[in-house]
Amino acid sequence: MKPIILQGHERSLTQIVFNAEGDLLFSASKDVGVNVWFTSNGERLGTFNGHNGTVWTVAVDSQSRYLVTGSADNTMRLWDVQTGKCLKVWEFLTAVKRVAWSEDDSMILSITEQRQGQQSMLRIYSINREDPTNQSNTPINEINISTYGPKATVALFAPLSDVIITGHESGKIAKYDVKTGEEIQRTNESHFGEITDIQLSPDGTYFITSSKDKTAKLFDVETLDEMKGYVTETPLNSACIAPLRPYVILGGGQEAMNVTTTGQRAGKFEARFWHKLFEEEVGRVRGHFGPINTLAVHPQGKAYASGAEDGFVRVHWFDESYFRSRPFGDLEPEVEV
Amino acid sequence: MKDWTAEEDPEELPPPSETTVDGITTIITWKLDEHDRKVKVTRRVRRKMQTQNVSHTVAERRRLPKFGDDKGKATGPDRKTTIVGENIHFKVAPVSAKANEAAAEPDAPKLAAGKAVICRLCKGGHFTAKCPFKDSLAAIENVDMDDGGEAPAADGMGGILARGAGAGGKYVPPGQRAGGGAGESMYRNRDDLPTLRITSLSTDAEDEDLRELFAPFGKVARANVVRDRETRESKGFGFVSFESRRDAEKALQKMNGHGYDSLILSVSWSLPREQR
């Protein structure tokens, strides 16, 4: 497995995402740039220039036409993926921490930071796909997360896009109705630390969360029941579910502030592969020189990418042996290749 | 008549040429160095065509013009932003608690195992009969059982123990730590790793065979067979780098003189370039 190392950022990565076909990778970082790369050879297609602060979050629609980004310059922007043009700027009073697309690409959500007397807000916007420069400034719904408890850090649209699932600073996981804006379900004891990432499974029936409490967990979308848990020895910053094979990939490492006082090994900056069902660790991929901040997996399960505090993105295309692997031998079904 | 003025003019560079013989392409390009002297650059590469079936939308996106900071740049990866890293050996297998311990303290010598079960072959925590390396190691072990495989464990370990924490738990910069040279870097120098040179190797052996052969002794960082640049035929020797010096020493002891594919391997330390 030869990683492709992408060095397009000067500061640590905040989020990376693949598009639906897996041929493009979008990366956002604490410098002002957003980059898009061809995953097959690591060539950079372009940069999206315009933000004036840390870009916290990036999301691409399923047709790879529009990109939405949220930044610490208190704006959310809509971009044309093919030309890099900025189509729309929404302005807020605090930083935008998370954005996501709905399943049918007709809506986006944004989470703004709770700061300077502002509440943690979840806003849902309708996207005009025919005339992309003509977008509404007013959200179709606005949910004040702070009235329900601690602030939200991550969110995504559940399948069918009638519900939004959020992860919170306290470790709480909740569901909000897109139409009414009400909290319809919550679990307070899911995690005991800030939830750092949330990603949906390929079939959309369950999702994975990673947390600063050093665990990652699988939850049922319908009931929010905890299905599986993966306990590691470092705070986790990201987690994703690999399609095709029964693995989840977890990434994290020591807090950035402690990195300079320890070596690469002690920091545990590897991406960890865990068996999804047996909850056992099955492999590690090292290479980063700082904690992994964000992980993304190719939608067809052929590759995964990691972005870290060291400012590098590493794209790994899986070897053939990965697809034939049966780490627990006869306990697992025969693999057909 | 030949135009002799052309040769005098340093600005005029011969056009680049490309010739293909037996699948090997020779690319000759010319450039001027800092003193305006002509430099001929010859690169010989073997090109392999790789076809990939992709959907129409993906194929269309491949033809998109670059934008933003990359506007107007040539197609193909830019070396400034994209590099291909070193090969990572990634095998999906259960990571046992024992392996975790070893990773935490990679250089700490194994303390007395007490009554715990120890495999006679690989020194793992299981019965010898259940050793996963039974087939490959049994033969090796018999070759020089009397030499006492345990001997070298203490050598070369002196300074490393103090490496992690400095005296009194004070922070010690990596460069000043006992046993450690410079700090760790993302691009590890290949001379930093304990490397063995394996000669009289069967020409049929591949990189992976070499790795498999040496894997029982410890974590193999790199294993490669030296090949002819043009014919890609093995030259009959190769290099294996271990993550830890102790493992390398163990492998050197056990594998030197070991029979492999009807040849007797000769294993020695690989010397840095200037010493060879």
Side-chain angles (χ1 to χ4, degrees):
Chain A
M1 200 161 70
K2 272 207 171 100
I4 303 172
I5 303 168
L6 312 178
Q7 29 192 14
H9 294 286
E10 283 162 15
R11 291 193 59 199
S12 50
L13 274 291
T14 52
Q15 197 178 10
I16 55 175
V17 285
F18 280 95
N19 68 340
E21 284 89 6
D23 64 321
L24 296 180
L25 181 78
F26 297 87
S27 62
S29 88
K30 286 189 181 170
D31 61 20
V32 296
V34 178
N35 290 343
V36 53
W37 312 82
F38 287 113
T39 52
S40 55
N41 61 357
E43 182 179 353
R44 186 162 72 177
L45 172 59
T47 60
F48 300 89
N49 300 336
H51 274 300
N52 261 325
T54 292
V55 184
W56 285 117
T57 173
V58 57
V60 63
D61 69 354
S62 67
Q63 300 168 31
S64 307
R65 278 176 66 196
Y66 303 121
L67 184 78
V68 58
T69 56
S71 160
D73 63 3
N74 300 353
T75 63
M76 175 169 78
R77 287 168 196 254
L78 185 75
W79 310 84
D80 185 332
V81 166
Q82 310 210 331
T83 61
K85 280 199 191 81
C86 181
L87 304 169
K88 168 75 187 168
V89 181
W90 288 271
E91 289 193 23
F92 302 98
L93 293 167
T94 52
V96 182
K97 294 294 280 196
R98 191 78 169 194
V99 292
W101 285 88
S102 69
E103 202 177 22
D104 62 353
D105 298 336
S106 67
M107 290 182 287
I108 55 172
L109 68 80
S110 84
I111 287 180
T112 50
E113 181 73 298
Q114 171 183 322
R115 192 177 289 153
Q116 295 153 354
Q118 300 297 318
Q119 311 266 282
S120 172
M121 298 296 284
L122 169 62
R123 295 185 181 86
I124 302 150
Y125 292 87
S126 159
I127 293 296
N128 179 353
R129 294 187 72 84
E130 271 63 59
D131 185 6
T133 51
N134 181 21
Q135 304 288 351
S136 167
N137 269 322
T138 46
I140 53 173
N141 210 338
E142 205 169 15
I143 303 164
N144 189 340
I145 300 283
S146 298
T147 59
Y148 295 102
K151 73 173 185 190
T153 50
V154 293
L156 53 76
F157 279 96
L160 304 182
S161 303
D162 52 347
V163 165
I164 289 171
I165 303 170
T166 54
H168 297 250
E169 195 188 19
S170 64
K172 162 186 155 183
I173 292 172
K175 283 208 292 204
Y176 294 91
D177 192 301
V178 169
K179 288 215 172 65
T180 65
E182 275 167 22
E183 186 176 291
I184 42 180
Q185 219 173 339
R186 68 189 291 171
T187 60
N188 283 331
E189 274 87 45
S190 320
H191 282 287
F192 299 98
E194 181 187 330
I195 294 179
T196 47
D197 199 9
I198 183 167
Q199 295 198 28
L200 212 55
S201 72
D203 64 357
T205 58
Y206 55 97
F207 61 92
I208 191 165
T209 56
S210 66
S211 166
K212 289 280 181 205
D213 69 4
K214 307 184 181 178
T215 64
K217 288 175 179 176
L218 289 187
F219 293 96
D220 190 289
V221 164
E222 201 58 43
T223 61
L224 293 189
D225 284 342
E226 185 181 324
M227 300 161 78
K228 295 284 172 190
Y230 314 100
V231 184
T232 69
E233 63 269 36
T234 54
L236 293 178
N237 294 330
S238 191
C240 55
I241 301 166
L244 287 186
R245 307 294 300 126
Y247 308 129
V248 296
I249 312 169
L250 317 178
Q254 212 170 25
E255 296 288 343
M257 57 186 288
N258 299 327
V259 164
T260 51
T261 56
T262 41
Q264 195 176 9
R265 267 197 208 93
K268 304 201 167 61
F269 303 142
E270 300 113 328
R272 283 71 149 329
F273 282 69
W274 281 66
H275 199 283
K276 190 164 69 182
L277 307 177
F278 297 153
E279 300 170 320
E280 292 273 352
E281 186 167 353
V282 291
R284 288 185 182 188
V285 179
R286 59 181 181 80
H288 278 296
F289 201 48
I292 291 178
N293 284 341
T294 170
L295 282 167
V297 68
H298 190 287
Q300 280 81 49
K302 295 175 191 161
Y304 87 93
S306 54
E309 193 74 18
D310 60 12
F312 295 96
V313 176
R314 295 168 76 95
V315 182
H316 306 77
W317 288 87
F318 292 123
D319 288 335
E320 198 233 338
S321 67
Y322 167 84
F323 299 103
R324 279 186 286 106
S325 61
R326 285 166 78 202
F328 296 99
D330 297 336
L331 290 171
E332 287 184 78
E334 201 85 45
V335 181
E336 288 164 33
V337 181
Chain B
M1 194 182 147
K2 203 176 151 204
D3 185 6
W4 55 272
T5 53
E7 278 172 75
E8 295 291 297
D9 186 4
E11 299 301 313
E12 195 131 324
L13 293 170
S17 71
E18 249 190 63
T19 45
T20 307
V21 181
D22 297 337
I24 295 160
T25 310
T26 311
I27 306 166
I28 298 171
T29 50
W30 295 78
K31 64 173 185 184
L32 293 171
D33 67 1
E34 60 265 35
H35 302 296
D36 278 347
R37 287 176 304 200
K38 269 197 263 184
V39 178
K40 181 181 178 186
V41 182
T42 310
R43 281 182 297 165
R44 313 183 69 181
V45 292
R46 178 188 288 271
R47 287 207 174 121
K48 236 190 201 169
M49 179 73 103
Q50 266 191 358
T51 41
Q52 206 181 5
N53 294 324
V54 295
S55 68
H56 287 291
T57 51
V58 173
E60 268 164 35
R61 277 200 286 270
R62 283 255 39 141
R63 285 196 291 271
L64 285 176
K66 294 188 172 181
F67 57 83
D69 294 351
D70 291 322
K71 198 170 181 176
K73 282 196 185 153
T75 49
D78 185 345
R79 271 194 218 163
K80 280 197 192 103
T81 54
T82 308
I83 44 174
V84 176
E86 258 187 41
N87 198 14
I88 296 176
H89 185 66
F90 175 56
K91 199 177 164 203
V92 181
V95 178
S96 63
K98 194 173 158 291
N100 274 337
E101 259 167 52
E105 279 178 275
D107 293 317
K110 275 179 207 154
L111 293 172
K115 286 174 200 125
V117 177
I118 290 186
C119 170
R120 262 183 288 122
L121 300 180
C122 73
K123 307 285 181 286
H126 50 82
F127 290 105
T128 308
K130 288 198 174 156
C131 182
F133 310 117
K134 195 164 55 177
D135 300 332
S136 54
L137 268 182
I140 300 165
E141 196 75 12
N142 293 339
V143 172
D144 46 12
M145 198 64 184
D146 7 350
D147 289 8
E150 297 287 308
D155 290 40
M157 290 291 303
I160 303 174
L161 288 173
R163 188 199 223 160
K170 224 168 70 182
Y171 173 69
V172 180
Q176 289 169 22
R177 279 177 207 165
E184 287 172 273
S185 90
M186 225 172 91
Y187 311 100
R188 247 196 293 185
N189 189 350
R190 61 184 58 210
D191 291 338
D192 289 350
L193 294 168
T195 304
L196 298 178
R197 177 186 157 93
I198 290 92
T199 46
S200 61
L201 183 69
S202 160
T203 49
D204 297 331
E206 306 266 336
D207 290 1
E208 274 310 302
D209 299 329
L210 205 57
R211 179 183 286 279
E212 249 170 57
L213 191 63
F214 282 85
F217 299 103
K219 217 167 179 194
V220 176
R222 190 187 301 108
N224 61 304
V225 171
V226 178
R227 294 173 180 284
D228 188 282
R229 215 166 58 174
E230 279 160 30
T231 61
R232 306 304 296 155
E233 232 166 67
S234 165
K235 284 189 169 177
F237 67 101
F239 295 94
V240 174
S241 304
F242 282 89
E243 302 250 306
S244 100
R245 194 165 187 87
R246 211 147 41 92
D247 294 340
E249 265 168 29
K250 206 162 69 185
L252 172 70
Q253 292 238 329
K254 291 273 190 270
M255 293 305 283
N256 194 13
H258 175 63
Y260 180 68
D261 201 13
S262 79
L263 286 172
I264 292 171
L265 295 179
S266 146
V267 183
S268 60
W269 288 108
S270 161
L271 299 171
R273 223 159 253 286
E274 58 270 22
Q275 279 175 261
R276 210 173 284 155

